[in-house]
Amino acid sequence: MTTQSNPSAWQPGVTGGGTLPSGPGGRPAAPSGDGHGPPTGPPTVTIGAFPDYPAAQRVVDHLADNRFPVERTAIVGTDLALVETVLGRLTTARAALVGAGTGAWFGLFIGLLFGIFTVGNWVAVILAGLVIGAIWGAVFGAVAHAMTGGQRDFTSASSLRANQYAVTVEADVADQARQLLGRLNLGGRAAQPAG
């Protein structure tokens, strides 16, 4: 018995020439455009670069106040840095205190749920949930800190910060945006037109 081979059909172990078999999502399609991913939208132009986010925000707000189609703008942060601000020393007692606070909120929530369906003294149910939650939260907070073995004895808050914030608009409305921003002085650098 001979089988007829279809040269355009996919064959395992054969590179090129064949199409991929269809998967759960259907038959895969070739990438559109230049093959480097999905299209990113219309071309944009930078109309200004600012050292902080509030200045860039004021630019977009000014455009919105002047009836500019702000849905065609973007604020782009560049040169991102992760900044971890150390808030203080973390001891086992402080970890227990933070855990007690978190546990108290959770216990209050559970106490309120049970209190709704209680026929008798619902205030006692809510207070019991709050106290039990605080106790267990303190225990878990202290144990979790003790298990780190002194590897991280501080509390901190992390944030992303950009070195510069650029306001971009779609290229076909860039001239309109520049005209609206001509009188606005924010301390930023206006983008120079390409020459």
Side-chain angles (χ1 to χ4, degrees), residues 4 7-8 17 31-32 40 45-46 73 81 86 91 98 104 107 110 114 118 121 131 137 140-141 154 166 169 174:
Q4 219 174 13
S8 66
S32 61
T40 58
V45 174
T46 301
T73 64
V86 177
T91 62
V98 170
I110 297 298
F114 280 113
T118 301
N121 190 358
V131 169
F140 285 128
F154 62 91
V169 297

Side-chain angles (χ1 to χ4, degrees), residues 31-77:
S32 61
D34 60 0
H36 295 325
T40 58
T44 59
V45 174
T46 301
I47 60 170
F50 305 94
D52 58 4
Y53 182 80
Q57 184 179 347
R58 282 193 300 271
V59 166
V60 176
D61 188 48
H62 179 74
L63 292 173
D65 291 344
N66 287 284
R67 308 271 190 257
F68 182 81
V70 289
E71 64 275 4
R72 300 176 74 181
T73 64
I75 298 175
V76 181

Side-chain angles (χ1 to χ4, degrees), residues 111-184:
L112 285 170
L113 285 178
F114 280 113
I116 291 172
F117 301 107
T118 301
V119 177
N121 190 358
W122 58 271
V123 174
V125 173
I126 293 172
L127 288 176
L130 185 116
V131 169
I132 292 170
I135 291 170
W136 279 109
V139 168
F140 285 128
V143 168
H145 179 263
M147 289 179 68
T148 64
Q151 292 293 325
R152 188 169 168 93
D153 285 339
F154 62 91
T155 59
S156 63
S158 297
S159 63
L160 273 178
R161 293 187 190 161
N163 189 35
Q164 177 177 295
Y165 296 89
V167 177
T168 63
V169 297
E170 292 179 11
D172 58 334
V173 293
D175 289 335
Q176 179 188 357
R178 283 190 184 112
Q179 288 174 358
L180 290 172
L181 294 178
R183 297 178 305 270
L184 189 63

